[in-house]
Amino acid sequence: MTTLDTTSVTPASPASSGAGTRARHRGAGMPTVASPRRSTGRLLASLALVLVGLSFLVPLAWIVLSSVDPAATVSVGVPSSVTAGNFKAVFTKDQTFLPLWNSLVISLGTALITVVVGVLAAYPLSRYRMRFQRGFLYTILFATCLPITAIMVPVYSLFVKLSLLDSTPGVILFLAASSLPMAIWMLKNFMDSVPVSLEEAAWVDGASSMRALGRIVLPLMRPGLAVVLMLVFTQAWGNFFVPFILTTSAEKQPAAVAIYQFFGTYGSIAYGKLAAFSILYSVPVLVLYLLTQRLSGGANALAGGMKG
């Protein structure tokens, strides 16, 4: 008879298996306790965010409350009585509507010229490799750092010689020229995100470079165009110094300069009218922001073009 040699297996004791399980899962179900240093950092960050939020909310609250306050002052407070007299006082052609129209013409003309010229300048920088391309790009970046106040004296002299002083087209051209370096830099970065293979396919079908730019590249970078258009428009809309220097007649001054009329002599300020005019002054920018958000197609336009 053949005898089977069996090996005896010693079962693990319940105590040892329980100890191993506890060792493996030690701390798995235990709640983590934040360190005092991390809690202090979060508290300071929250406090900083609250302070930043208040720095924006307090001026907005003053504008809204003072616009309906017949006795508005520089301090923020709930008005004792609500009135629309401040809005009725500024709802005039010479005081509000003509300056707003001038601002719209200057800002929209500046934005359109800047975007068109910026696209034409950014296209070869994005698609071709030139010898001095890096130095040219750094020169453009350096031009964005030049303060406008440092060049206004020679610009004023040039405008006098060219008979462009107190001219709306002159203001538009100067604001477009000052915004162009930043626009070229941004548009070049947006254009780099569009694959060149899409243009190459259009070139094979017989399309020219400008046709491929208009039919393929620009539709895919609509969000970038909207960002640059909105940024340039906002900068031109809120620019006070350039129109104040280059325009002399009140009929051609934009709203950024016309708002100075609410500051009287000897420190007297019409706070209620100033707040009402400020609300009307901000409406076109908000409308343009909503339109650009709706027409830009969102940030997924570029991704959809790359998939196609």
Side-chain angles (χ1 to χ4, degrees):
M1 295 178 62
T2 306
T3 305
L4 297 177
D5 187 11
T6 58
T7 305
S8 61
V9 180
T10 304
S13 62
S16 60
S17 60
T21 304
R22 287 194 301 270
R24 286 194 301 267
H25 298 282
R26 182 180 300 171
M30 296 176 61
T32 57
V33 180
S35 61
R37 183 176 300 177
R38 182 177 301 179
S39 301
T40 305
R42 290 179 179 178
L43 180 61
L44 292 177
S46 301
L47 182 61
L49 291 177
V50 170
L51 293 177
V52 171
L54 289 177
S55 65
F56 285 96
L57 289 178
V58 171
L60 292 178
W62 179 87
I63 291 176
V64 174
L65 295 176
S66 299
S67 63
V68 294
D69 190 357
T73 60
V74 70
S75 60
V76 181
V78 179
S80 57
S81 61
V82 178
T83 179
N86 295 325
F87 289 95
K88 293 180 180 179
V90 300
F91 255 74
T92 59
K93 176 184 177 182
D94 297 332
Q95 196 171 22
T96 301
F97 294 108
L98 184 59
L100 287 178
W101 173 255
N102 294 333
S103 295
L104 183 63
V105 172
I106 292 175
S107 303
L108 191 59
T110 301
L112 292 178
I113 292 176
T114 302
V115 170
V116 171
V117 179
V119 165
L120 297 177
Y123 183 71
L125 293 174
S126 175
R127 291 298 185 257
Y128 303 105
R129 294 294 177 264
M130 295 173 287
R131 183 177 181 182
F132 301 103
Q133 182 177 4
R134 185 179 296 272
F136 183 71
L137 289 174
Y138 283 134
T139 303
I140 293 176
L141 185 62
F142 173 75
T144 61
C145 304
L146 292 176
I148 299 297
T149 54
I151 60 175
M152 281 308 298
V153 173
V155 167
Y156 185 86
S157 177
L158 180 64
F159 270 54
V160 170
K161 292 181 180 180
L162 297 178
S163 300
L164 291 177
L165 197 63
D166 198 21
S167 172
T168 300
V171 176
I172 292 175
L173 291 176
F174 178 74
L175 289 176
S178 60
S179 302
L180 198 57
M182 177 269 301
I184 293 176
W185 186 270
M186 294 182 63
L187 289 171
K188 190 260 181 188
N189 292 331
F190 282 118
M191 203 170 292
D192 289 340
S193 302
V194 180
V196 187
S197 58
L198 300 178
E199 294 178 75
E200 292 176 348
W203 295 338
V204 172
D205 293 337
S208 61
S209 298
M210 296 303 298
R211 189 178 182 86
L213 174 63
R215 294 294 183 88
I216 296 177
V217 179
L218 293 183
L220 293 179
M221 55 180 297
R222 279 190 304 171
L225 294 176
V227 168
V228 176
L229 181 69
M230 185 66 191
L231 185 59
V232 175
F233 183 92
T234 306
Q235 288 180 349
W237 184 267
N239 197 308
F240 168 81
F241 185 71
V242 173
F244 180 75
I245 297 297
L246 299 181
T247 56
T248 56
S249 59
E251 295 79 10
K252 297 182 180 180
Q253 290 179 345
V257 181
I259 199 173
Y260 190 71
Q261 64 187 331
F262 298 104
F263 295 86
T265 57
Y266 303 106
S268 61
I269 302 175
Y271 291 105
K273 297 179 181 179
L274 177 63
F277 186 86
S278 300
I279 292 178
L280 298 176
Y281 179 57
S282 61
V283 169
V285 179
L286 296 177
V287 173
L288 180 64
Y289 176 77
L290 295 176
L291 288 177
T292 52
Q293 284 288 320
R294 181 67 61 86
L295 299 177
S296 62
N300 295 325
L302 181 58
M306 294 176 65
K307 291 180 181 179

